Amino acid sequence: MKTFCLSLALALSGCIKPPDVVMVDRQTMLEEQVSGELEALDQELREQALVPTSADFSRGQLEAAGVDLGDDTLTQVTRVHAVLVSELELIDELLVRRCLGEATTGLLEETPATCSGRHTAQHTTASVHRVNRARRQLWDFLARKGAPGTLDDVARAWRREHLEGVVCGAQVQAASGAWEVKRC
């Protein structure tokens, strides 16, 4: 009874007053679930997204380059090139941040141990798979069109040319297997 009287006296005297605003710093359980579901949906939509086409060339430019315009393979090469171009900015950023590396095989390889900054592993993996698939398709096309050597020779020759255009500061695998930073 004494505590009740004491509490009543304190409440009436104005010593205890509830706050005007209550701040909550945690998300509700529903918000946490929704944010987790949206990331999966975002990844699914990204994988199904339309891929932009490559830059158009005039018929004269293609003929001057010696392209057989009656051949259907031009369309195939254009589609593969579009995949590579659409991923270029993301891949360059991940190469410089050391989340990816240009492997000696000519393919991109994920290197999470050396990655700086935040990135979504699922997003990165999906992009790497798309670009690597496009590279393999390109090498296969070049080999079928009569490039000298085996498919591995075509990939090595392509890599030599490709490394010249790789962004400065990118992570590149040396012949010894060690990862190095590309100097420009």
Side-chain angles (χ1 to χ4, degrees):
M1 183 72 171
K2 285 184 181 181
T3 56
F4 175 72
C5 291
L6 183 61
S7 299
L8 183 61
L10 287 174
L12 293 176
S13 69
C15 292
I16 299 175
K17 179 180 166 193
D20 294 331
V21 178
V22 176
M23 299 293 291
V24 178
D25 66 342
R26 284 194 41 94
Q27 295 177 333
T28 65
M29 183 60 81
L30 181 60
E31 289 174 324
E32 288 178 9
Q33 288 175 345
V34 168
S35 67
E37 290 173 10
L38 286 180
E39 186 171 325
L41 179 62
D42 179 50
Q43 180 64 22
E44 183 180 332
L45 289 174
R46 179 163 170 72
E47 292 210 7
Q48 294 177 0
L50 294 174
V51 177
T53 60
S54 59
D56 294 328
F57 292 101
S58 71
R59 185 172 198 79
Q61 289 172 318
L62 293 173
E63 287 174 349
V67 175
D68 180 12
L69 296 176
D71 196 1
D72 186 42
T73 56
L74 179 63
T75 306
Q76 189 178 10
V77 170
T78 303
R79 286 186 187 145
V80 170
H81 178 69
V83 170
L84 295 172
V85 169
S86 69
E87 300 284 347
L88 189 60
E89 285 183 25
L90 173 65
I91 297 300
D92 283 351
E93 176 190 345
L94 293 172
L95 283 168
V96 171
R97 289 179 32 212
R98 317 288 189 276
C99 300
L100 296 178
E102 288 282 351
T104 55
T105 60
L107 298 173
L108 290 173
E109 189 174 310
E110 292 183 61
T111 56
T114 59
C115 185
S116 64
R118 294 178 53 192
H119 77 289
T120 307
Q122 291 175 338
H123 184 96
T124 303
T125 301
S127 295
V128 167
H129 285 305
R130 280 191 295 273
V131 171
N132 284 344
R133 181 178 56 241
R135 288 181 180 186
R136 285 186 190 105
Q137 289 172 345
L138 181 62
W139 300 336
D140 184 54
F141 169 76
L142 292 172
R144 281 187 287 123
K145 283 298 179 183
T150 65
L151 189 59
D152 289 336
D153 295 334
V154 170
R156 278 192 292 278
W158 178 88
R159 182 179 188 263
R160 278 193 302 275
E161 295 294 322
H162 172 71
L163 286 180
E164 292 178 15
V166 171
V167 65
C168 296
Q171 186 171 232
V172 178
Q173 192 173 30
S176 65
W179 292 103
E180 300 174 345
V181 175
K182 180 185 177 194
R183 305 275 181 228
C184 292

